[in-house]
């Protein structure tokens, strides 16, 4: 039984480490979504996100659009990973609480 508890404790530490790492990376990644606006024949790109109750639209140049899209996709993936890790941590916490 001690081996199982030790393994669960190690897993909880790994989860906490990964959560901290993801949270620090999420703080520097852009949030929001890309919107396109057509004016005549030209297309303009904007990064839209919320700041409190305000919706902020930030212009993104054509040179940067693919990079910004990749960063937003990376953020979405990381947010999904954080959600999954939080669920795993809750399970580990329950296991450790029930053994005390």
């Amino acid at each position: 039984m001690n081996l199982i508890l030790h393994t669960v404790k190690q897993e909880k530490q790994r989860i906490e480490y990964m959560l901290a790492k993801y949270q620090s990376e999420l703080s520097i990644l852009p949030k929001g979504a890309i919107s396109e606006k057509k004016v005549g024949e030209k297309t303009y790109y904007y990064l839209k996100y919320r700041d409190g109750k305000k919706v902020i639209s930030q212009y993104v140049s054509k040179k940067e659009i693919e990079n910004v899209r990749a960063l937003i996709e990376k953020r979405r993936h990381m947010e999904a990973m954080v959600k999954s890790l939080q669920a795993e941590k809750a399970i580990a916490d329950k296991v450790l609480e029930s053994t005390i």
Side-chain angles (χ1 to χ4, degrees):
M1 191 67 167
N2 272 344
L3 181 62
I4 294 171
L5 289 176
H6 180 69
T7 305
V8 172
K9 285 180 184 178
Q10 282 183 327
E11 182 64 13
K12 183 181 173 189
Q13 288 175 344
R14 183 193 70 81
I15 290 169
E16 289 172 345
Y17 170 77
M18 293 301 293
L19 281 171
K21 185 176 177 181
Y22 282 146
Q23 293 295 349
S24 68
E25 283 193 46
L26 282 174
S27 68
I28 60 173
L29 289 173
K31 60 183 176 177
I34 299 290
S35 68
E36 297 179 8
K37 184 176 181 181
K38 290 202 175 220
V39 177
E41 304 248 339
K42 293 187 177 187
T43 303
Y44 298 95
Y45 300 96
Y46 296 90
L47 175 62
K48 290 191 173 188
Y49 59 93
R50 285 198 172 271
D51 185 16
K53 292 185 177 184
K54 284 183 163 184
V55 176
I56 308 294
S57 294
Q58 185 178 11
Y59 175 74
V60 179
S61 70
K62 287 184 180 183
K63 294 176 185 176
E64 298 173 353
I65 191 67
E66 290 307 316
N67 184 39
V68 172
R69 282 186 181 165
L71 291 174
I72 289 172
E73 188 60 35
K74 184 177 180 180
R75 180 183 185 89
R76 287 192 181 133
H77 173 72
M78 285 187 160
E79 287 173 340
M81 292 298 296
V82 165
K83 189 174 182 178
S84 174
L85 286 170
Q86 286 172 337
E88 289 178 24
K89 185 177 180 285
I91 292 169
D93 286 340
K94 285 181 184 179
V95 168
L96 292 173
E97 284 178 12
S98 66
T99 60
I100 294 176

